[in-house]
Amino acid sequence: MTKSLVINAGSSSIKFQVFEDETSILSGLCNAIGLENSNIKIFVIPTDEELQMVRNAKLL
């Protein structure tokens, strides 16, 4: 199982994505770096098993 981090850095933003083998498991971005309105967003991508657990719990 290989994990890889991909980073795209611009002048005022950073975007990233983490892969496990060829599957994306996490991504995020930081916008407006150095400015008052900067923000960070991180997205966790659920596995198929986690999605099935939620469906079975009837939460979707």
Coordinates of all heavy atoms in Angstrom, one line a residue:
M1 N 0.8 -1.2 0.0 CA 0.0 0.0 0.0 C 0.9 1.2 0.0 O 1.6 1.5 1.0 CB -0.9 0.0 1.2 CG -2.0 0.9 1.1 SD -3.2 0.8 2.5 CE -3.5 -1.0 2.7
T2 N 0.9 2.0 -1.1 CA 1.7 3.2 -1.2 C 0.8 4.4 -1.1 O -0.3 4.5 -1.6 CB 2.3 3.2 -2.6 OG1 3.1 2.1 -2.8 CG2 3.2 4.4 -2.8
K3 N 1.3 5.4 -0.3 CA 0.6 6.6 -0.1 C 1.4 7.7 -0.7 O 2.6 7.8 -0.6 CB 0.4 6.9 1.4 CG -0.6 6.0 2.0 CD -1.0 6.3 3.4 CE -1.9 5.3 4.0 NZ -2.2 5.5 5.3
S4 N 0.7 8.6 -1.4 CA 1.4 9.7 -2.1 C 0.7 11.1 -1.8 O -0.5 11.1 -1.7 CB 1.3 9.5 -3.6 OG 1.9 8.3 -4.0
L5 N 1.5 12.1 -1.7 CA 0.9 13.5 -1.4 C 1.3 14.3 -2.7 O 2.4 14.4 -3.1 CB 1.6 14.1 -0.2 CG 1.3 15.6 0.0 CD1 -0.2 15.8 0.3 CD2 2.1 16.1 1.2
V6 N 0.2 14.9 -3.2 CA 0.4 15.8 -4.4 C 0.0 17.2 -4.0 O -1.0 17.4 -3.4 CB -0.5 15.3 -5.6 CG1 -0.4 16.3 -6.7 CG2 -0.2 13.9 -6.0
I7 N 0.9 18.1 -4.2 CA 0.7 19.5 -3.8 C 0.8 20.4 -5.0 O 1.7 20.3 -5.9 CB 1.8 19.9 -2.8 CG1 1.7 19.1 -1.6 CG2 1.7 21.4 -2.5 CD1 2.8 19.3 -0.6
N8 N -0.1 21.4 -5.1 CA -0.1 22.4 -6.1 C -0.1 23.7 -5.4 O -1.1 24.1 -4.8 CB -1.4 22.3 -7.0 CG -1.5 23.4 -8.1 OD1 -0.7 24.3 -8.1 ND2 -2.4 23.2 -9.0
A9 N 1.0 24.4 -5.5 CA 1.2 25.7 -4.7 C 1.2 26.9 -5.7 O 2.0 26.9 -6.7 CB 2.5 25.7 -4.0
G10 N 0.3 27.8 -5.4 CA 0.3 29.0 -6.2 C 0.7 30.2 -5.4 O 1.3 30.0 -4.3
S11 N 0.5 31.4 -5.9 CA 1.1 32.6 -5.2 C 0.3 32.9 -3.9 O 0.9 33.4 -2.9 CB 1.0 33.8 -6.1 OG -0.4 34.0 -6.5
S12 N -1.0 32.5 -3.8 CA -1.7 32.8 -2.6 C -2.6 31.6 -2.2 O -3.5 31.7 -1.4 CB -2.6 34.0 -2.7 OG -3.6 33.8 -3.8
S13 N -2.3 30.4 -2.8 CA -3.2 29.2 -2.4 C -2.3 28.0 -2.5 O -1.3 27.9 -3.2 CB -4.4 29.1 -3.4 OG -3.9 28.8 -4.7
I14 N -2.7 27.0 -1.8 CA -2.2 25.6 -1.8 C -3.3 24.6 -1.9 O -4.3 24.7 -1.2 CB -1.3 25.3 -0.6 CG1 -0.1 26.3 -0.5 CG2 -0.8 23.9 -0.6 CD1 0.7 26.1 0.8
K15 N -3.2 23.7 -2.8 CA -4.1 22.6 -3.0 C -3.4 21.3 -2.8 O -2.2 21.2 -3.2 CB -4.8 22.6 -4.3 CG -5.6 23.9 -4.6 CD -6.1 23.9 -6.0 CE -6.8 25.3 -6.2 NZ -7.1 25.5 -7.6
F16 N -4.0 20.3 -2.2 CA -3.3 19.1 -2.0 C -4.3 17.9 -2.1 O -5.5 18.1 -1.9 CB -2.6 19.0 -0.6 CG -3.5 19.1 0.5 CD1 -4.0 17.9 1.1 CD2 -3.9 20.3 1.1 CE1 -4.9 17.9 2.2 CE2 -4.8 20.3 2.2 CZ -5.3 19.1 2.7
Q17 N -3.7 16.7 -2.3 CA -4.5 15.5 -2.4 C -3.6 14.4 -2.0 O -2.4 14.3 -2.3 CB -5.0 15.3 -3.8 CG -6.1 14.3 -3.9 CD -7.0 14.5 -5.2 OE1 -6.6 15.3 -6.1 NE2 -8.0 13.8 -5.3
V18 N -4.2 13.5 -1.2 CA -3.5 12.3 -0.7 C -4.1 11.1 -1.4 O -5.3 10.9 -1.4 CB -3.5 12.2 0.8 CG1 -2.8 10.9 1.3 CG2 -3.0 13.4 1.5
F19 N -3.2 10.2 -1.9 CA -3.7 9.0 -2.6 C -3.1 7.8 -1.8 O -2.0 7.8 -1.3 CB -3.1 8.9 -4.0 CG -3.7 9.9 -4.9 CD1 -3.2 11.2 -5.1 CD2 -4.8 9.6 -5.7 CE1 -3.7 12.1 -5.9 CE2 -5.4 10.5 -6.5 CZ -4.9 11.8 -6.7
E20 N -3.9 6.7 -1.8 CA -3.5 5.4 -1.3 C -3.6 4.5 -2.5 O -4.7 4.3 -3.0 CB -4.4 5.0 -0.2 CG -3.9 3.7 0.5 CD -4.7 3.4 1.8 OE1 -5.7 2.7 1.6 OE2 -4.3 4.0 2.8
D21 N -2.4 4.1 -3.0 CA -2.3 3.4 -4.3 C -2.9 4.4 -5.3 O -2.4 5.5 -5.4 CB -3.0 2.1 -4.3 CG -2.3 1.1 -3.3 OD1 -1.0 1.2 -3.2 OD2 -3.0 0.3 -2.7
E22 N -3.9 4.1 -6.0 CA -4.5 5.0 -7.0 C -5.8 5.7 -6.6 O -6.5 6.3 -7.3 CB -4.7 4.3 -8.3 CG -3.4 3.8 -8.9 CD -3.6 3.1 -10.3 OE1 -4.7 3.1 -10.8 OE2 -2.6 2.6 -10.8
T23 N -6.2 5.5 -5.3 CA -7.4 6.0 -4.8 C -7.2 7.2 -3.9 O -6.4 7.3 -3.0 CB -8.1 4.9 -3.9 OG1 -8.3 3.7 -4.6 CG2 -9.4 5.4 -3.4
S24 N -7.9 8.3 -4.2 CA -7.9 9.5 -3.5 C -8.6 9.3 -2.1 O -9.7 8.9 -2.1 CB -8.5 10.7 -4.2 OG -8.5 11.8 -3.5
I25 N -7.8 9.7 -1.0 CA -8.4 9.5 0.3 C -8.6 10.8 1.1 O -9.3 10.8 2.1 CB -7.6 8.5 1.1 CG1 -6.2 8.9 1.3 CG2 -7.7 7.1 0.5 CD1 -5.4 8.1 2.3
L26 N -8.0 11.9 0.6 CA -8.0 13.1 1.3 C -7.7 14.2 0.3 O -6.8 14.0 -0.5 CB -7.0 13.1 2.5 CG -6.9 14.3 3.4 CD1 -8.2 14.4 4.3 CD2 -5.7 14.3 4.2
S27 N -8.3 15.4 0.4 CA -7.9 16.5 -0.4 C -8.2 17.8 0.4 O -9.0 17.8 1.4 CB -8.7 16.5 -1.8 OG -10.1 16.7 -1.6
G28 N -7.7 18.9 -0.1 CA -7.9 20.1 0.6 C -7.3 21.3 -0.1 O -6.6 21.1 -1.1
L29 N -7.6 22.5 0.4 CA -7.1 23.7 -0.1 C -7.0 24.8 0.9 O -7.8 24.8 1.9 CB -7.9 24.2 -1.3 CG -9.3 24.5 -1.1 CD1 -9.6 25.9 -1.4 CD2 -10.2 23.6 -2.0
C30 N -6.1 25.7 0.7 CA -6.0 26.9 1.6 C -5.9 28.1 0.6 O -5.0 28.1 -0.3 CB -4.7 26.8 2.4 SG -4.5 28.2 3.5
N31 N -6.9 28.9 0.7 CA -7.0 30.1 -0.2 C -6.6 31.4 0.5 O -6.7 31.5 1.7 CB -8.4 30.2 -0.7 CG -8.8 29.2 -1.7 OD1 -8.0 28.9 -2.5 ND2 -10.0 28.7 -1.6
A32 N -6.2 32.4 -0.3 CA -6.0 33.7 0.2 C -4.9 33.7 1.3 O -5.1 34.4 2.3 CB -7.3 34.4 0.7
I33 N -3.9 33.0 1.2 CA -2.8 32.9 2.2 C -2.2 34.3 2.4 O -1.9 35.0 1.5 CB -1.7 31.9 1.7 CG1 -2.3 30.5 1.6 CG2 -0.5 32.0 2.7 CD1 -1.4 29.5 1.0
G34 N -2.1 34.6 3.7 CA -1.6 35.9 4.1 C -2.6 37.1 4.1 O -2.2 38.2 4.5
L35 N -3.8 36.8 3.8 CA -4.9 37.8 3.8 C -5.8 37.5 4.9 O -5.9 36.4 5.5 CB -5.6 37.8 2.5 CG -4.8 38.1 1.2 CD1 -5.7 37.9 0.0 CD2 -4.2 39.4 1.3
E36 N -6.6 38.5 5.3 CA -7.5 38.4 6.4 C -8.6 37.4 6.2 O -9.1 36.7 7.1 CB -8.2 39.8 6.6 CG -8.2 40.2 8.1 CD -8.8 41.6 8.2 OE1 -10.0 41.7 8.4 OE2 -8.0 42.5 8.2
N37 N -9.0 37.2 4.9 CA -10.1 36.2 4.6 C -9.6 34.8 4.2 O -10.3 34.1 3.5 CB -11.0 36.8 3.6 CG -10.3 37.1 2.2 OD1 -9.1 37.2 2.2 ND2 -11.0 37.1 1.2
S38 N -8.4 34.5 4.6 CA -7.9 33.1 4.2 C -8.7 32.0 4.9 O -9.3 32.3 6.0 CB -6.4 33.0 4.6 OG -6.3 33.1 6.0
N39 N -8.7 30.9 4.3 CA -9.5 29.7 4.8 C -8.8 28.4 4.4 O -8.1 28.4 3.4 CB -10.9 29.8 4.5 CG -11.2 29.7 3.0 OD1 -10.8 28.7 2.4 ND2 -11.7 30.8 2.4
I40 N -9.1 27.4 5.2 CA -8.6 26.1 4.9 C -9.8 25.1 4.8 O -10.7 25.2 5.7 CB -7.6 25.6 6.0 CG1 -6.4 26.5 6.0 CG2 -7.2 24.1 5.7 CD1 -5.5 26.2 7.2
K41 N -9.8 24.3 3.8 CA -10.9 23.3 3.7 C -10.2 21.9 3.5 O -9.3 21.8 2.7 CB -11.8 23.6 2.5 CG -12.5 24.9 2.6 CD -13.4 25.1 1.4 CE -14.1 26.5 1.6 NZ -14.9 26.8 0.4
I42 N -10.7 20.9 4.2 CA -10.1 19.6 4.1 C -11.3 18.6 3.9 O -12.3 18.7 4.6 CB -9.3 19.2 5.4 CG1 -8.1 20.1 5.6 CG2 -8.9 17.7 5.3 CD1 -7.4 19.9 6.9
F43 N -11.2 17.8 2.9 CA -12.2 16.8 2.5 C -11.7 15.4 2.7 O -10.7 15.0 2.1 CB -12.6 17.0 1.1 CG -13.1 18.4 0.8 CD1 -12.1 19.3 0.2 CD2 -14.3 18.9 1.1 CE1 -12.5 20.6 0.0 CE2 -14.7 20.2 0.8 CZ -13.8 21.1 0.2
V44 N -12.4 14.6 3.6 CA -12.0 13.2 3.7 C -12.9 12.4 2.9 O -14.2 12.6 2.9 CB -12.2 12.8 5.2 CG1 -11.9 11.3 5.4 CG2 -11.3 13.6 6.1
I45 N -12.4 11.6 2.0 CA -13.2 10.8 1.1 C -13.4 9.4 1.7 O -12.5 8.7 2.0 CB -12.4 10.7 -0.3 CG1 -12.2 12.1 -0.8 CG2 -13.2 9.8 -1.2 CD1 -11.1 12.2 -1.8
P46 N -14.7 9.1 2.0 CA -15.0 7.8 2.7 C -14.7 6.6 1.8 O -14.8 6.7 0.6 CB -16.5 7.9 3.0 CG -17.0 8.9 2.0 CD -15.9 9.9 1.7
T47 N -14.4 5.5 2.5 CA -14.2 4.3 1.7 C -15.5 3.7 1.4 O -16.6 4.1 1.9 CB -13.4 3.3 2.6 OG1 -14.2 2.9 3.7 CG2 -12.1 3.8 3.1
D48 N -15.5 2.7 0.5 CA -16.8 2.0 0.1 C -17.4 1.4 1.4 O -18.7 1.4 1.5 CB -16.5 0.9 -0.9 CG -16.2 1.5 -2.3 OD1 -16.5 2.7 -2.5 OD2 -15.5 0.8 -3.1
E49 N -16.6 0.8 2.3 CA -17.1 0.2 3.5 C -17.8 1.2 4.4 O -18.9 1.0 5.0 CB -16.0 -0.5 4.2 CG -15.5 -1.7 3.5 CD -14.4 -1.3 2.5 OE1 -13.9 -0.2 2.5 OE2 -14.1 -2.2 1.7
E50 N -17.2 2.4 4.5 CA -17.8 3.5 5.3 C -19.1 4.0 4.7 O -20.1 4.2 5.5 CB -16.8 4.6 5.5 CG -15.6 4.3 6.3 CD -14.5 5.3 6.3 OE1 -14.4 6.0 5.2 OE2 -13.8 5.4 7.2
L51 N -19.2 4.1 3.4 CA -20.4 4.5 2.8 C -21.5 3.5 3.0 O -22.7 3.8 3.3 CB -20.2 4.7 1.3 CG -19.5 6.0 0.9 CD1 -19.2 6.0 -0.6 CD2 -20.2 7.2 1.2
Q52 N -21.2 2.2 2.9 CA -22.1 1.1 3.1 C -22.7 1.1 4.5 O -23.8 0.9 4.8 CB -21.5 -0.2 2.8 CG -22.5 -1.3 2.7 CD -23.6 -1.1 1.7 OE1 -23.3 -0.7 0.6 NE2 -24.9 -1.3 2.1
M53 N -21.8 1.4 5.5 CA -22.2 1.5 6.9 C -23.2 2.6 7.1 O -24.2 2.4 7.8 CB -21.0 1.7 7.8 CG -20.2 0.5 8.0 SD -18.6 0.8 8.9 CE -19.2 1.7 10.4
V54 N -23.0 3.8 6.5 CA -23.9 4.9 6.6 C -25.3 4.5 5.9 O -26.3 4.8 6.5 CB -23.3 6.1 5.9 CG1 -24.4 7.2 5.8 CG2 -22.1 6.6 6.7
R55 N -25.2 3.9 4.7 CA -26.4 3.5 4.1 C -27.2 2.5 4.9 O -28.4 2.6 5.0 CB -26.1 2.9 2.7 CG -25.7 3.9 1.7 CD -25.5 3.3 0.3 NE -24.9 4.3 -0.6 CZ -23.7 4.2 -1.1 NH1 -22.9 3.2 -0.9 NH2 -23.3 5.2 -1.9
N56 N -26.5 1.6 5.5 CA -27.2 0.6 6.4 C -27.8 1.2 7.6 O -28.8 0.7 8.1 CB -26.2 -0.5 6.8 CG -25.8 -1.4 5.6 OD1 -26.5 -1.5 4.6 ND2 -24.7 -2.2 5.8
A57 N -27.3 2.3 8.1 CA -27.8 3.0 9.2 C -29.0 3.9 8.8 O -29.6 4.5 9.6 CB -26.7 3.8 9.9
K58 N -29.3 3.9 7.5 CA -30.4 4.7 6.9 C -30.2 6.2 7.2 O -31.2 6.9 7.5 CB -31.7 4.2 7.4 CG -31.9 2.8 6.9 CD -33.2 2.2 7.3 CE -33.3 0.8 6.8 NZ -34.4 0.0 7.3
L59 N -29.0 6.7 7.2 CA -28.7 8.1 7.4 C -28.7 8.9 6.1 O -28.8 10.1 6.1 CB -27.4 8.3 8.2 CG -27.3 7.7 9.6 CD1 -25.9 7.9 10.1 CD2 -28.4 8.4 10.5
L60 N -28.6 8.2 5.0 CA -28.6 8.9 3.7 C -30.0 8.8 3.1 O -30.7 8.0 3.2 CB -27.6 8.2 2.7 CG -26.2 8.5 3.0 CD1 -25.3 7.8 1.9 CD2 -25.9 10.0 2.9

